[in-house]
Short mmCIF file of all heavy atoms in Angstrom, two decimals:
data_model
loop_
_atom_site.label_atom_id
_atom_site.label_comp_id
_atom_site.label_asym_id
_atom_site.label_seq_id
_atom_site.Cartn_x
_atom_site.Cartn_y
_atom_site.Cartn_z
N LEU A 1 134.44 -64.55 51.92
CA LEU A 1 134.13 -65.92 52.28
C LEU A 1 135.14 -66.34 53.35
O LEU A 1 136.33 -66.21 53.14
CB LEU A 1 134.22 -66.86 51.10
CG LEU A 1 134.04 -68.36 51.38
CD1 LEU A 1 132.69 -68.65 51.98
CD2 LEU A 1 134.25 -69.17 50.10
N VAL A 2 134.62 -66.79 54.48
CA VAL A 2 135.47 -67.25 55.59
C VAL A 2 135.25 -68.74 55.72
O VAL A 2 134.15 -69.18 56.06
CB VAL A 2 135.13 -66.50 56.90
CG1 VAL A 2 136.05 -66.98 58.03
CG2 VAL A 2 135.23 -64.99 56.72
N GLU A 3 136.28 -69.50 55.44
CA GLU A 3 136.25 -70.94 55.65
C GLU A 3 137.01 -71.21 56.95
O GLU A 3 138.11 -70.74 57.13
CB GLU A 3 136.91 -71.70 54.51
CG GLU A 3 136.12 -71.58 53.24
CD GLU A 3 136.74 -72.35 52.10
OE1 GLU A 3 137.97 -72.22 51.88
OE2 GLU A 3 136.01 -73.08 51.42
N TYR A 4 136.38 -71.97 57.84
CA TYR A 4 137.02 -72.22 59.12
C TYR A 4 136.80 -73.67 59.55
O TYR A 4 135.84 -74.32 59.19
CB TYR A 4 136.49 -71.27 60.20
CG TYR A 4 135.00 -71.43 60.47
CD1 TYR A 4 134.59 -72.21 61.56
CD2 TYR A 4 134.05 -70.87 59.67
CE1 TYR A 4 133.24 -72.43 61.81
CE2 TYR A 4 132.68 -71.04 59.92
CZ TYR A 4 132.32 -71.81 60.99
OH TYR A 4 130.98 -72.01 61.24
N ASP A 5 137.74 -74.16 60.28
CA ASP A 5 137.77 -75.53 60.76
C ASP A 5 136.70 -75.72 61.81
O ASP A 5 136.44 -74.86 62.62
CB ASP A 5 139.15 -75.80 61.34
CG ASP A 5 139.46 -77.26 61.51
OD1 ASP A 5 138.71 -77.94 62.23
OD2 ASP A 5 140.46 -77.70 60.96
N GLU A 6 136.12 -76.91 61.83
CA GLU A 6 135.09 -77.24 62.83
C GLU A 6 135.63 -77.07 64.25
O GLU A 6 134.86 -76.77 65.15
CB GLU A 6 134.61 -78.65 62.59
CG GLU A 6 133.40 -79.03 63.37
CD GLU A 6 132.85 -80.42 62.99
OE1 GLU A 6 133.62 -81.27 62.58
OE2 GLU A 6 131.64 -80.54 63.08
N ALA A 7 136.95 -77.20 64.46
CA ALA A 7 137.54 -77.07 65.78
C ALA A 7 137.34 -75.65 66.33
O ALA A 7 137.41 -75.43 67.54
CB ALA A 7 139.04 -77.39 65.72
N LEU A 8 137.06 -74.67 65.46
CA LEU A 8 136.85 -73.27 65.91
C LEU A 8 135.38 -72.96 66.19
O LEU A 8 135.06 -71.90 66.67
CB LEU A 8 137.35 -72.31 64.83
CG LEU A 8 138.82 -72.41 64.48
CD1 LEU A 8 139.15 -71.50 63.31
CD2 LEU A 8 139.69 -72.12 65.68
N GLN A 9 134.51 -73.90 65.87
CA GLN A 9 133.04 -73.67 65.94
C GLN A 9 132.58 -73.07 67.25
O GLN A 9 131.85 -72.08 67.25
CB GLN A 9 132.30 -74.99 65.69
CG GLN A 9 130.83 -74.89 65.57
CD GLN A 9 130.35 -74.38 64.23
OE1 GLN A 9 131.12 -74.26 63.30
NE2 GLN A 9 129.10 -74.02 64.15
N GLY A 10 133.03 -73.55 68.37
CA GLY A 10 132.54 -73.11 69.65
C GLY A 10 133.18 -71.82 70.14
O GLY A 10 132.66 -71.18 71.04
N SER A 11 134.30 -71.41 69.57
CA SER A 11 135.02 -70.25 70.11
C SER A 11 135.10 -69.07 69.14
O SER A 11 135.61 -68.02 69.50
CB SER A 11 136.44 -70.65 70.51
OG SER A 11 137.10 -71.18 69.39
N PHE A 12 134.56 -69.21 67.95
CA PHE A 12 134.67 -68.18 66.93
C PHE A 12 133.30 -67.52 66.71
O PHE A 12 132.38 -68.10 66.21
CB PHE A 12 135.17 -68.82 65.62
CG PHE A 12 135.31 -67.91 64.45
CD1 PHE A 12 135.93 -66.66 64.58
CD2 PHE A 12 134.88 -68.31 63.20
CE1 PHE A 12 136.05 -65.83 63.49
CE2 PHE A 12 135.02 -67.46 62.10
CZ PHE A 12 135.62 -66.22 62.25
N ASP A 13 133.18 -66.27 67.22
CA ASP A 13 131.96 -65.50 67.09
C ASP A 13 131.90 -64.90 65.70
O ASP A 13 132.39 -63.83 65.45
CB ASP A 13 131.93 -64.41 68.19
CG ASP A 13 130.64 -63.63 68.20
OD1 ASP A 13 129.90 -63.66 67.22
OD2 ASP A 13 130.38 -62.98 69.23
N ARG A 14 131.23 -65.58 64.79
CA ARG A 14 131.20 -65.22 63.39
C ARG A 14 130.55 -63.86 63.15
O ARG A 14 131.02 -63.04 62.40
CB ARG A 14 130.55 -66.33 62.56
CG ARG A 14 131.40 -67.59 62.60
CD ARG A 14 130.73 -68.77 61.92
NE ARG A 14 129.41 -69.11 62.43
CZ ARG A 14 129.18 -69.84 63.50
NH1 ARG A 14 130.19 -70.31 64.21
NH2 ARG A 14 127.95 -70.12 63.92
N ARG A 15 129.40 -63.62 63.81
CA ARG A 15 128.69 -62.36 63.59
C ARG A 15 129.51 -61.16 64.02
O ARG A 15 129.67 -60.17 63.34
CB ARG A 15 127.38 -62.36 64.29
CG ARG A 15 126.54 -61.10 64.08
CD ARG A 15 125.15 -61.22 64.63
NE ARG A 15 124.41 -60.00 64.48
CZ ARG A 15 123.93 -59.49 63.33
NH1 ARG A 15 124.08 -60.17 62.22
NH2 ARG A 15 123.30 -58.38 63.30
N ARG A 16 130.11 -61.26 65.21
CA ARG A 16 130.97 -60.17 65.68
C ARG A 16 132.16 -59.96 64.79
O ARG A 16 132.56 -58.80 64.47
CB ARG A 16 131.42 -60.44 67.13
CG ARG A 16 132.07 -59.24 67.78
CD ARG A 16 132.44 -59.56 69.19
NE ARG A 16 133.62 -60.38 69.11
CZ ARG A 16 134.57 -60.42 70.02
NH1 ARG A 16 134.50 -59.70 71.09
NH2 ARG A 16 135.64 -61.17 69.90
N PHE A 17 132.78 -61.07 64.34
CA PHE A 17 133.89 -60.98 63.43
C PHE A 17 133.50 -60.25 62.13
O PHE A 17 134.19 -59.34 61.69
CB PHE A 17 134.43 -62.38 63.10
CG PHE A 17 135.51 -62.37 62.04
CD1 PHE A 17 136.81 -61.99 62.39
CD2 PHE A 17 135.25 -62.70 60.77
CE1 PHE A 17 137.82 -61.97 61.41
CE2 PHE A 17 136.23 -62.67 59.76
CZ PHE A 17 137.49 -62.30 60.13
N ALA A 18 132.37 -60.61 61.58
CA ALA A 18 131.90 -60.01 60.32
C ALA A 18 131.66 -58.51 60.46
O ALA A 18 132.06 -57.71 59.62
CB ALA A 18 130.65 -60.70 59.79
N LEU A 19 131.01 -58.14 61.56
CA LEU A 19 130.75 -56.71 61.77
C LEU A 19 132.02 -55.92 61.90
O LEU A 19 132.18 -54.82 61.37
CB LEU A 19 129.84 -56.53 62.98
CG LEU A 19 128.42 -57.11 62.82
CD1 LEU A 19 127.65 -57.02 64.11
CD2 LEU A 19 127.66 -56.41 61.71
N GLU A 20 133.01 -56.43 62.63
CA GLU A 20 134.30 -55.79 62.76
C GLU A 20 135.05 -55.77 61.44
O GLU A 20 135.73 -54.79 61.11
CB GLU A 20 135.10 -56.45 63.88
CG GLU A 20 134.60 -56.19 65.25
CD GLU A 20 135.41 -56.86 66.35
OE1 GLU A 20 136.61 -57.07 66.15
OE2 GLU A 20 134.84 -57.16 67.40
N LEU A 21 134.92 -56.86 60.70
CA LEU A 21 135.56 -56.96 59.38
C LEU A 21 135.05 -55.93 58.43
O LEU A 21 135.79 -55.25 57.71
CB LEU A 21 135.38 -58.37 58.83
CG LEU A 21 135.97 -58.67 57.42
CD1 LEU A 21 137.49 -58.46 57.47
CD2 LEU A 21 135.66 -60.08 57.04
N HIS A 22 133.73 -55.73 58.40
CA HIS A 22 133.11 -54.73 57.49
C HIS A 22 133.62 -53.34 57.83
O HIS A 22 133.97 -52.54 56.95
CB HIS A 22 131.60 -54.80 57.58
CG HIS A 22 131.04 -56.08 57.18
ND1 HIS A 22 129.73 -56.43 57.29
CD2 HIS A 22 131.59 -57.19 56.56
CE1 HIS A 22 129.47 -57.65 56.84
NE2 HIS A 22 130.62 -58.11 56.42
N SER A 23 133.66 -53.02 59.11
CA SER A 23 134.18 -51.71 59.56
C SER A 23 135.63 -51.53 59.16
O SER A 23 136.03 -50.47 58.66
CB SER A 23 133.97 -51.57 61.07
OG SER A 23 134.48 -50.35 61.52
N LEU A 24 136.41 -52.57 59.36
CA LEU A 24 137.83 -52.52 59.01
C LEU A 24 138.04 -52.30 57.53
O LEU A 24 138.87 -51.52 57.09
CB LEU A 24 138.49 -53.84 59.43
CG LEU A 24 139.94 -54.03 59.02
CD1 LEU A 24 140.85 -53.21 59.92
CD2 LEU A 24 140.35 -55.50 59.09
N ALA A 25 137.26 -53.00 56.70
CA ALA A 25 137.37 -52.86 55.25
C ALA A 25 137.06 -51.40 54.84
O ALA A 25 137.78 -50.83 54.00
CB ALA A 25 136.45 -53.84 54.54
N ALA A 26 136.03 -50.86 55.40
CA ALA A 26 135.61 -49.47 55.04
C ALA A 26 136.69 -48.47 55.46
O ALA A 26 136.91 -47.48 54.75
CB ALA A 26 134.29 -49.13 55.69
N LYS A 27 137.36 -48.72 56.56
CA LYS A 27 138.43 -47.81 57.01
C LYS A 27 139.72 -47.96 56.24
O LYS A 27 140.46 -47.03 56.08
CB LYS A 27 138.73 -48.07 58.53
CG LYS A 27 137.72 -47.52 59.46
CD LYS A 27 138.22 -47.66 60.89
CE LYS A 27 137.21 -48.48 61.64
NZ LYS A 27 137.63 -48.85 62.98
N THR A 28 139.97 -49.17 55.76
CA THR A 28 141.24 -49.48 55.09
C THR A 28 141.25 -49.16 53.64
O THR A 28 142.26 -48.75 53.08
CB THR A 28 141.60 -50.99 55.31
OG1 THR A 28 141.51 -51.26 56.71
CG2 THR A 28 142.97 -51.30 54.82
N VAL A 29 140.13 -49.33 52.94
CA VAL A 29 140.09 -49.15 51.48
C VAL A 29 139.06 -48.11 51.09
O VAL A 29 137.85 -48.29 51.40
CB VAL A 29 139.75 -50.51 50.78
CG1 VAL A 29 139.74 -50.35 49.26
CG2 VAL A 29 140.73 -51.58 51.20
N ASP A 30 139.52 -47.04 50.44
CA ASP A 30 138.58 -46.03 49.95
C ASP A 30 137.64 -46.67 48.97
O ASP A 30 138.03 -47.48 48.13
CB ASP A 30 139.34 -44.90 49.22
CG ASP A 30 140.05 -43.97 50.21
OD1 ASP A 30 139.63 -43.92 51.38
OD2 ASP A 30 141.00 -43.33 49.79
N GLY A 31 136.35 -46.28 49.05
CA GLY A 31 135.39 -46.79 48.10
C GLY A 31 134.66 -48.06 48.56
O GLY A 31 133.85 -48.58 47.82
N ILE A 32 134.97 -48.55 49.76
CA ILE A 32 134.24 -49.70 50.30
C ILE A 32 133.35 -49.20 51.41
O ILE A 32 133.87 -48.97 52.51
CB ILE A 32 135.19 -50.82 50.83
CG1 ILE A 32 135.96 -51.43 49.65
CG2 ILE A 32 134.38 -51.87 51.56
CD1 ILE A 32 136.88 -52.59 50.09
N PRO A 33 132.07 -49.03 51.14
CA PRO A 33 131.17 -48.66 52.27
C PRO A 33 130.72 -49.92 53.02
O PRO A 33 130.60 -50.99 52.40
CB PRO A 33 129.96 -48.00 51.53
CG PRO A 33 129.99 -48.60 50.16
CD PRO A 33 131.42 -48.95 49.85
N ILE A 34 130.50 -49.78 54.26
CA ILE A 34 130.06 -50.89 55.07
C ILE A 34 128.82 -51.54 54.48
O ILE A 34 128.68 -52.77 54.46
CB ILE A 34 129.79 -50.48 56.54
CG1 ILE A 34 131.12 -50.14 57.21
CG2 ILE A 34 129.06 -51.56 57.34
CD1 ILE A 34 130.98 -49.56 58.63
N GLU A 35 127.91 -50.70 53.96
CA GLU A 35 126.64 -51.22 53.41
C GLU A 35 126.83 -52.19 52.25
O GLU A 35 125.91 -52.96 51.93
CB GLU A 35 125.78 -50.04 52.97
CG GLU A 35 125.33 -49.12 54.07
CD GLU A 35 126.40 -48.20 54.60
OE1 GLU A 35 127.44 -47.97 53.88
OE2 GLU A 35 126.27 -47.68 55.71
N SER A 36 127.99 -52.16 51.62
CA SER A 36 128.18 -53.08 50.49
C SER A 36 128.88 -54.38 50.88
O SER A 36 129.04 -55.28 50.05
CB SER A 36 128.98 -52.36 49.37
OG SER A 36 130.32 -52.18 49.80
N CYS A 37 129.33 -54.50 52.10
CA CYS A 37 130.07 -55.69 52.54
C CYS A 37 129.15 -56.87 52.76
O CYS A 37 128.07 -56.74 53.36
CB CYS A 37 130.82 -55.41 53.83
SG CYS A 37 132.13 -54.21 53.64
N LYS A 38 129.56 -58.05 52.26
CA LYS A 38 128.79 -59.29 52.44
C LYS A 38 129.74 -60.36 52.86
O LYS A 38 130.72 -60.61 52.13
CB LYS A 38 128.14 -59.64 51.11
CG LYS A 38 127.20 -58.63 50.52
CD LYS A 38 126.99 -58.96 49.05
CE LYS A 38 126.85 -57.77 48.20
NZ LYS A 38 127.77 -56.68 48.32
N THR A 39 129.49 -60.99 53.99
CA THR A 39 130.38 -62.05 54.45
C THR A 39 129.58 -63.35 54.61
O THR A 39 128.51 -63.37 55.23
CB THR A 39 131.03 -61.68 55.80
OG1 THR A 39 131.79 -60.46 55.59
CG2 THR A 39 131.92 -62.76 56.32
N ARG A 40 130.14 -64.40 54.06
CA ARG A 40 129.55 -65.75 54.20
C ARG A 40 130.59 -66.60 54.99
O ARG A 40 131.78 -66.40 54.88
CB ARG A 40 129.35 -66.41 52.83
CG ARG A 40 128.35 -65.67 51.98
CD ARG A 40 128.42 -66.17 50.58
NE ARG A 40 129.77 -65.96 50.13
CZ ARG A 40 130.16 -66.08 48.88
NH1 ARG A 40 129.34 -66.45 47.94
NH2 ARG A 40 131.40 -65.87 48.53
N PHE A 41 130.06 -67.54 55.75
CA PHE A 41 130.92 -68.44 56.52
C PHE A 41 130.68 -69.87 56.06
O PHE A 41 129.53 -70.28 55.82
CB PHE A 41 130.62 -68.30 58.00
CG PHE A 41 130.99 -66.96 58.57
CD1 PHE A 41 130.11 -65.95 58.60
CD2 PHE A 41 132.25 -66.76 59.05
CE1 PHE A 41 130.45 -64.67 59.09
CE2 PHE A 41 132.62 -65.52 59.56
CZ PHE A 41 131.73 -64.49 59.58
N ARG A 42 131.75 -70.60 55.97
CA ARG A 42 131.62 -72.04 55.63
C ARG A 42 132.51 -72.82 56.59
O ARG A 42 133.70 -72.67 56.63
CB ARG A 42 132.13 -72.23 54.20
CG ARG A 42 131.97 -73.67 53.71
CD ARG A 42 132.47 -73.86 52.27
NE ARG A 42 131.67 -73.02 51.38
CZ ARG A 42 132.15 -72.49 50.27
NH1 ARG A 42 133.41 -72.69 49.94
NH2 ARG A 42 131.39 -71.72 49.53
N CYS A 43 131.80 -73.65 57.39
CA CYS A 43 132.50 -74.51 58.34
C CYS A 43 133.00 -75.73 57.55
O CYS A 43 132.20 -76.40 56.87
CB CYS A 43 131.62 -74.95 59.48
SG CYS A 43 132.40 -75.98 60.68
N VAL A 44 134.26 -76.00 57.65
CA VAL A 44 134.86 -77.13 56.94
C VAL A 44 134.82 -78.34 57.89
O VAL A 44 135.35 -78.29 59.01
CB VAL A 44 136.34 -76.84 56.55
CG1 VAL A 44 137.00 -77.99 55.90
CG2 VAL A 44 136.39 -75.60 55.68
N ASP A 45 134.14 -79.37 57.49
CA ASP A 45 133.97 -80.57 58.31
C ASP A 45 135.30 -81.23 58.64
O ASP A 45 135.50 -81.72 59.76
CB ASP A 45 133.08 -81.61 57.62
CG ASP A 45 131.66 -81.16 57.49
OD1 ASP A 45 131.21 -80.31 58.29
OD2 ASP A 45 130.99 -81.64 56.57
#
């Protein structure tokens, strides 16, 4: 779960971040396949 300030809305590419995050998790921790990663975003008003 990624909670982010509304001030980041226009400059934070959430999809690209999630895809890179999933790859990073799979490389960093044994037993985490990319296919099992799920990322949700919540903009904080």
